[in-house]
Amino acid sequence: MKNEKLLEIKDLYAQYNTDEDIVYAVNDLSLSLDRGRTLGLVGETGAGKTTTCLSILRLLPERIGEISKGEIIFDGMDILSLSEDEMRKIRGKDIAMIFQDPLSSLNPVYTIGMQIGEVLKYHGIYKDDQAIENRVEEMLDLVGLPKERKNDYPHQFSGGMKQRVVIAMALACEPKLLLADEPTTALDVTIQAQVLKLMNELKERLQTAMILVTHDLGIVAEICDDVAVMYAGSIIEKGRIEDIFEGQVHHPYTVGLFASIPNLKVKTRRLSPIDGLMPDPADLPKGCTFNPRCPHRMEVCKTEEPPCVMIGEEHMVKCHLFASKEGGRP
């Protein structure tokens, strides 16, 4: 029987070494994902969500991007110990990624059929040209695009249709893990709903595990099984979807995220944003990185890194508030 755990990240640190500063993008990050489940990775811009996904694929920018510490175990393999040739065999086949901007993900001088077929040809899944053509048509049909459009170029498609093409490319080899980096950000609400429905259907049909990077908690509630909240490169809260959306105990940052969502049942003149800004990743605060913005901060928060406190069997909160006898619930 296969191990249910498909991905396990332990104590991951990733940074960008620039001429001016060292940008600490991911700091002591640990998470795991079971086969066939979807993990929502949420947090503000600059939290390190995209860097986490790029680290899994080992696609950090050359010369400046560096994984300085940690482990990434995928399907029993240590990703960080593999050679570049070995990683190429995994990218697109076992781990695929839907990038945030479909316009920059597609080559403007090749037809979409050629680009989907290239993935299949490279990984040697279909050796016969006709079999590749049939698979391309099958994938276009799967994402709701006419197969006759396989000879069209990216500029002939709308934003939503381009996103569907990118999803078709990512799923062509039926990967075990799909990394979706804000796949619906550039889409209007109607197309967004269609793409989310499509991704959910494909996940269930192919039993693909997925990490969904998003700012939208509504999307998370709709299609995710587990949630991890990121702040300043670290996971500060994680748990099952029920723990995050229905639980009574949360990290103050998570409380702030939910408070900033408009409530259609309550009339108010203003929203309630989280005070302050995400800290500079090149100059992170000492102690708890959220302490300059936290309404519940204590003296210990300014000097000591908070512990990971288990609230339930699967629910973890990284906060001094719950480890301290004097602390209370936010």
Side-chain angles (χ1 to χ4, degrees):
M1 183 178 176
K2 280 189 175 181
N3 182 4
E4 286 300 310
K5 207 170 287 299
L6 178 66
L7 176 72
E8 191 166 12
I9 301 176
K10 302 176 183 176
D11 309 321
L12 183 69
Y13 288 80
Q15 62 192 49
Y16 299 104
N17 303 307
T18 69
D19 292 336
E20 291 80 19
D21 289 299
I22 298 176
V23 177
Y24 300 99
V26 174
N27 306 294
D28 196 19
L29 182 143
S30 297
L31 60 83
S32 62
L33 180 64
D34 292 345
R35 299 173 191 276
R37 293 184 72 84
T38 297
L39 171 71
L41 200 55
V42 302
E44 292 172 274
T45 298
K49 305 183 297 297
T50 299
T51 298
T52 300
C53 292
L54 293 177
S55 297
I56 294 169
L57 277 172
R58 282 191 23 204
L59 284 177
L60 293 177
E62 289 185 29
R63 292 182 291 277
I64 66 166
E66 177 191 358
I67 296 173
S68 56
K69 186 181 174 185
E71 289 182 90
I72 302 175
I73 309 298
F74 170 74
D75 204 16
M77 296 179 290
D78 182 359
I79 290 287
L80 301 184
S81 69
L82 299 179
S83 68
E84 183 57 29
D85 286 341
E86 289 171 323
M87 275 305 302
R88 285 197 192 102
K89 294 175 183 177
I90 291 174
R91 294 189 194 113
K93 182 176 182 289
D94 294 321
I95 308 175
M97 185 164 179
I98 301 171
F99 293 93
Q100 189 168 347
D101 181 11
L103 187 61
S104 61
S105 303
L106 296 170
N107 193 321
V109 300
Y110 292 108
T111 66
I112 62 160
M114 288 178 66
Q115 296 186 61
I116 298 172
E118 184 181 28
V119 181
L120 300 166
K121 192 177 294 185
Y122 179 82
H123 290 292
I125 295 174
Y126 298 93
K127 310 228 179 259
D128 178 68
D129 287 345
Q130 187 56 52
I132 291 175
E133 285 294 309
N134 293 341
R135 178 61 174 170
V136 169
E137 292 180 1
E138 181 186 341
M139 291 309 299
L140 289 176
D141 183 60
L142 197 64
V143 297
L145 292 174
K147 61 184 180 182
E148 294 79 14
R149 299 209 60 181
K150 66 182 179 182
N151 295 318
D152 289 348
Y153 292 86
H155 73 271
Q156 295 175 275
F157 293 83
S158 67
M161 295 172 86
K162 284 193 191 79
Q163 193 65 286
R164 288 169 182 259
V165 172
V166 171
I167 292 171
M169 288 177 65
L171 293 171
C173 296
E174 299 190 2
K176 298 173 184 175
L177 174 62
L178 178 65
L179 308 174
D181 188 4
E182 302 191 35
T184 60
T185 297
L187 309 179
D188 62 58
V189 176
T190 306
I191 301 300
Q192 184 183 89
Q194 292 175 3
V195 169
L196 286 173
K197 182 182 178 185
L198 168 69
M199 289 174 63
N200 216 19
E201 288 173 353
L202 295 179
K203 184 199 80 168
E204 292 175 5
R205 175 175 165 180
L206 303 175
Q207 278 300 295
T208 298
M210 180 164 63
I211 294 179
L212 176 66
V213 173
T214 182
H215 294 97
D216 193 331
L217 290 169
I219 292 174
V220 171
E222 189 175 339
I223 68 171
C224 292
D225 303 302
D226 308 284
V227 185
V229 181
M230 274 192 87
Y231 186 82
S234 297
I235 302 291
I236 58 169
E237 183 170 358
K238 62 183 175 182
R240 302 295 189 192
I241 191 77
E242 298 84 6
D243 297 327
I244 304 302
F245 280 80
E246 298 174 8
Q248 298 300 310
V249 177
H250 295 294
H251 191 283
Y253 179 65
T254 309
V255 174
L257 288 180
F258 278 101
S260 63
I261 301 174
N263 189 335
L264 297 179
K265 297 180 180 179
V266 178
K267 186 175 182 180
T268 180
R269 294 182 62 188
R270 295 184 62 125
L271 298 178
S272 301
I274 303 171
D275 291 335
L277 299 172
M278 181 77 69
D280 180 357
D283 185 24
L284 293 171
K286 291 182 180 179
C288 175
T289 52
F290 186 61
N291 88 78
R293 306 172 69 185
C294 182
H296 303 278
R297 67 176 172 268
M298 303 174 285
E299 284 303 312
V300 68
C301 303
K302 301 175 184 178
T303 56
E304 296 181 21
E305 186 174 338
C308 294
V309 181
M310 296 306 297
I311 304 300
E313 188 177 340
E314 301 283 346
H315 189 189
M316 183 279 293
V317 177
K318 190 176 182 180
C319 184
H320 284 295
L321 203 59
F322 306 106
S324 170
K325 293 180 181 179
E326 69 206 63
R329 293 185 179 181

